[in-house]
Amino acid sequence: ADSAQWLMYSYIKGIGLDVEGDTREQRLLRRFSYLSNCLRASRIRGYGYFEGLALSGLSELLSDSVRMDYIALHRPGSYAALTDSVDLTSGFSMSFAQSARRCLSSYGDAYGVMNATVQIASLHNRKGEYEEALKLLVPTHGAPDPLSRCYEEMSVAYAGLGDKAASDHCRNQY
């Protein structure tokens, strides 16, 4: 297989489609390995599109602190290599999602940009930064699946701001 095929295979395995493992923990570590290998190889070979996909997948995978701690404990070398390449002032997952959005937007991937944008908004919602989430989500238009995620996160943000009518409206859209 050529590099692009291998990178796509690694990305697909990394986001959890048909990944091997008897336990959830084994599958988690394998997903992390596939995505971190995809990221490393795409950077070495200059495949910016796959770099964006890998960053997006890693952002989602590492957005949960329990999963992130488990990976850091069981894959310390790979985890440390990733943290060296990231500005951690905004948070690990946030930094990856923002980088993914930049990479994917340079390739005109509306679906990938939308997915990364919704991931960023979701991270803002988790921190109670509802207005920041809405700034990202309200002007967003794109592919159908992320659009429903967009409405879901908008519903959460409006609920957090105490705007029940807007929250209900958004909830009814997905």
Side-chain angles (χ1 to χ4, degrees), residues 150-163:
C150 177
Y151 278 116
E152 181 179 8
E153 292 302 329
M154 285 172 61
S155 176
V156 171
Y158 279 123
L161 291 172
D163 189 339

Side-chain angles (χ1 to χ4, degrees), residues 7 9 12 38 40 49 67 93 102 119 121 125 134 146 174:
L7 289 167
Y9 173 83
I12 288 171
C38 181
R40 190 172 25 263
Y49 177 72
R67 287 190 308 233
S93 190
R102 281 190 298 274
Q119 174 66 10
N125 278 338
L134 288 174
Y174 67 91

Side-chain angles (χ1 to χ4, degrees), residues 9-17 30-32 34-35 57 61:
Y9 173 83
S10 296
Y11 167 70
I12 288 171
K13 288 289 202 171
I15 61 172
L17 299 179
R30 286 196 174 108
R31 288 179 62 202
F32 175 75
Y34 279 117
L35 287 170
L61 188 68

Side-chain angles (χ1 to χ4, degrees), residues 32 35-37 39-40 43 54-55 58 62 71 75-88 92 95-96:
F32 175 75
L35 287 170
S36 60
N37 288 338
L39 179 62
R40 190 172 25 263
R43 286 179 171 168
L55 286 165
L58 284 164
L62 299 172
I71 289 168
R75 295 288 187 271
S78 297
Y79 183 81
L82 287 178
T83 59
D84 287 344
S85 66
V86 176
D87 172 19
L88 295 176
F92 195 67
S95 182
F96 271 8

Side-chain angles (χ1 to χ4, degrees), residues 65-77:
S65 62
V66 172
R67 287 190 308 233
M68 188 168 57
D69 291 345
Y70 188 83
I71 289 168
L73 180 66
H74 290 88
R75 295 288 187 271

Side-chain angles (χ1 to χ4, degrees), residues 104-145:
L104 295 169
S105 94
S106 71
Y107 286 89
D109 181 355
Y111 181 89
V113 169
M114 170 70 93
N115 197 39
T117 300
V118 171
Q119 174 66 10
I120 293 166
S122 176
L123 294 167
H124 280 301
N125 278 338
R126 290 180 197 176
K127 295 191 305 186
E129 299 169 352
Y130 305 116
E131 290 180 11
E132 290 300 314
L134 288 174
K135 285 179 192 175
L136 291 167
L137 296 170
V138 170
T140 306
H141 302 289
D145 181 43

